Amino acid sequence: GRGAPPGGGGPPRLRATVTFATMLAVSLIAGDGCITPAVSVLGALEGIPLQMGDNIKVAIAVAIIAFIFLMQRRGSSVIGSVAGPITIVWFLTIAALGIHNLVTHPEAARLVLSGLNPNAFVTFWTTGAYRGVDAWRTLAGVVLSVTGAEALYADMGHFGRVPISAAWLVLVYPCLVLQYMGQAAALCVRPHGVVSPFYNAVPDNLKWPMVVLATLAAIIASQAMISGLFSLLTQAYAAKFVPKILVLHTNPDHEGQVYIPEVNWALCLMCVLICVAFKTSGRLAGAYGIAVTSTFLITTFLLGIVIRKVWRWNWLATLAVVLPLALVDAALWSANVMKIVDSGWVPVAISAVLCFLMHTHLWGHCRERAVMAKEAALETDEIAARGGIDSLVRAVTVTGLQSVLRSGLMVRTDK
């Protein structure tokens, strides 16, 4: 029921497993939420075509991040009214840049288009320059092109399924494919641009406009993660994973649009600290991906539970859906695990602390309920033993309560 912990039915062991998996996924997304604004904003600012020290860029990034979190109180509908047009311009612009690079470098474009052939995938893994283990390790970089998918589902409470699906299929996916193909073509011509492949594919006279547009896009991407995290923690509170928190509804027409002040400012502080500590998106790249891919794996596991236990599909149909997803998720996750020794420990440590706190709170809440239920049962038994149960029943109404008080039939149950 509403407000009950996940896995409310089924065997106790299954309920405990589903509850812990859900708790861990919430913690991982929260840990990733501390990284996303920092790496997005720092990455956008690194395209500034001026000689500028890291400390200056960090100061600008901190100011932008503070602005992002200051705007949260106004709600996602207000921010979305500005973000929508900017996002459309952003995706159309990067698609145009991708087309520009493909047209400008036709030989490289033909090489890139040949990569759409499935044989190229097999060659890359078996006989290419980065075959075998090196090909597997490249998945840690490939995962950066799919991060953000977890925020899409978290934001469904804000926007709904149809708008998100339509925006992805009609606008976002085609524009991203064109942009990545254009980047690949530009790298074929200018391999030294691998340090910053996005700005390597931008003409010099468009560097400044793209820095501004990329910064605005980073703000919007951060907003998507933050608003999704608010929705997720609201559900975590309903599941008794977190203590009582102040949840403000920013739109009376949409229950899912919420703002949580305590979470907002705690997240802001973590993002600022991460910006100051790491200074560049390159140093943060190692931290990005572990939490996301771990969330992918847990989501696939929970999907299997829902398909099997809730939808009542047979095992064959369940495996047909879950197994392909699990294989892709496991491949991406395994490649990203190696990042822990670099800076990947940051989201893992944050997630571990949050998961421990949530588990402790849920355990304490369950213990409290058990003790209160036991005391209530003992009290009821004692009242019944004293023959006062009829008086207790009559006291349900105001008139009955007044009668009991006048007749002195109320009894104390303490010793």
Side-chain angles (χ1 to χ4, degrees):
R2 186 176 177 84
R13 183 172 295 179
L14 178 61
R15 291 201 306 269
T17 302
V18 170
T19 299
F20 181 76
T22 306
M23 197 180 299
L24 182 58
V26 172
S27 304
L28 288 166
I29 292 182
D32 185 56
C34 297
I35 302 293
T36 299
V39 74
S40 300
V41 174
L42 285 172
L45 295 177
E46 286 170 3
I48 295 176
L50 294 175
Q51 293 297 325
M52 186 181 296
D54 288 343
N55 290 334
I56 297 177
K57 291 181 180 179
V58 168
I60 297 173
V62 168
I64 292 172
I65 288 173
F67 170 77
I68 294 172
F69 286 97
L70 281 171
M71 290 297 293
Q72 296 305 311
R73 180 64 179 85
R74 298 181 177 272
S76 57
S77 60
V78 176
I79 299 172
S81 63
V82 178
I86 294 174
T87 303
I88 292 174
V89 172
W90 164 253
F91 281 111
L92 292 178
T93 302
I94 63 173
L97 286 173
I99 294 172
H100 166 76
N101 282 286
L102 291 172
V103 172
T104 305
H105 312 296
E107 291 296 327
R110 278 192 285 271
L111 185 62
V112 171
L113 289 172
S114 68
L116 299 177
N117 188 333
N119 289 332
F121 174 80
V122 177
T123 301
F124 179 79
W125 278 84
T126 56
T127 60
Y130 295 96
R131 59 186 177 272
V133 175
D134 288 335
W136 166 72
R137 292 178 62 186
T138 61
L139 292 176
V142 171
V143 76
L144 296 177
S145 66
V146 297
T147 53
E150 75 288 351
L152 285 177
Y153 297 101
D155 279 331
M156 278 192 183
H158 286 247
F159 305 106
R161 175 179 175 273
V162 174
I164 289 178
S165 299
W168 170 256
L169 295 173
V170 175
L171 178 67
V172 179
Y173 180 69
C175 292
L176 287 176
V177 170
L178 288 171
Q179 166 60 203
Y180 286 135
M181 292 177 72
Q183 284 187 31
L187 285 173
C188 289
V189 178
R190 297 185 296 273
H192 61 276
V194 70
V195 177
S196 181
F198 176 75
Y199 286 109
N200 178 60
V202 177
D204 291 337
N205 59 340
L206 293 179
K207 282 287 198 297
W208 271 112
M210 287 309 300
V211 167
V212 174
L213 190 56
T215 303
L216 293 175
I219 292 172
I220 295 167
S222 302
Q223 164 63 34
M225 171 58 75
I226 295 166
S227 59
L229 192 56
F230 287 162
S231 294
L232 204 61
L233 288 176
T234 302
Q235 297 170 44
Y237 169 67
K240 313 299 182 187
F241 288 174
V242 296
K244 184 177 291 186
I245 52 178
L246 177 62
V247 178
L248 302 177
H249 292 267
T250 58
N251 190 330
D253 298 324
H254 296 278
E255 183 182 358
Q257 295 187 13
V258 295
Y259 167 71
I260 307 175
E262 295 94 333
V263 175
N264 184 69
W265 296 116
L267 197 58
C268 179
L269 178 61
M270 288 301 303
C271 290
V272 168
L273 291 176
I274 288 172
C275 266
V276 173
F278 287 89
K279 297 185 183 300
T280 67
S281 64
R283 294 171 187 166
L284 269 175
Y288 209 65
I290 296 178
V292 176
T293 52
S294 299
T295 305
F296 287 174
L297 268 177
I298 296 172
T299 303
T300 301
F301 165 73
L302 294 176
L303 173 64
I305 298 294
V306 171
I307 292 175
R308 181 77 180 116
K309 298 295 184 180
V310 179
W311 298 348
R312 303 292 183 182
W313 289 18
N314 59 48
W315 276 110
L316 188 60
T318 302
L319 291 175
V321 173
V322 173
L323 195 57
L325 294 174
L327 290 175
V328 174
D329 293 341
L332 295 174
W333 176 81
S334 62
N336 278 272
V337 166
M338 305 301 294
K339 292 181 178 180
I340 291 180
V341 296
D342 187 11
S343 52
W345 58 269
V346 175
V348 172
I350 295 172
S351 301
V353 171
L354 291 175
C355 188
F356 173 76
L357 293 176
M358 284 194 286
H359 186 275
T360 302
H361 174 76
L362 181 62
W363 176 83
H365 176 76
C366 292
R367 290 289 300 167
E368 181 185 36
R369 289 182 61 182
V371 170
M372 291 178 66
K374 184 178 180 180
E375 289 181 351
L378 291 174
E379 186 172 340
T380 302
D381 292 342
E382 187 172 349
I383 292 175
R386 294 189 181 188
I389 192 67
D390 292 335
S391 302
L392 188 63
V393 173
R394 291 199 303 271
V396 171
T397 64
V398 174
T399 304
L401 178 60
Q402 292 174 341
S403 174
V404 169
L405 289 173
R406 284 195 298 268
S407 61
L409 293 178
M410 293 289 284
V411 295
R412 293 181 62 86
T413 59
D414 56 332
K415 302 299 184 183

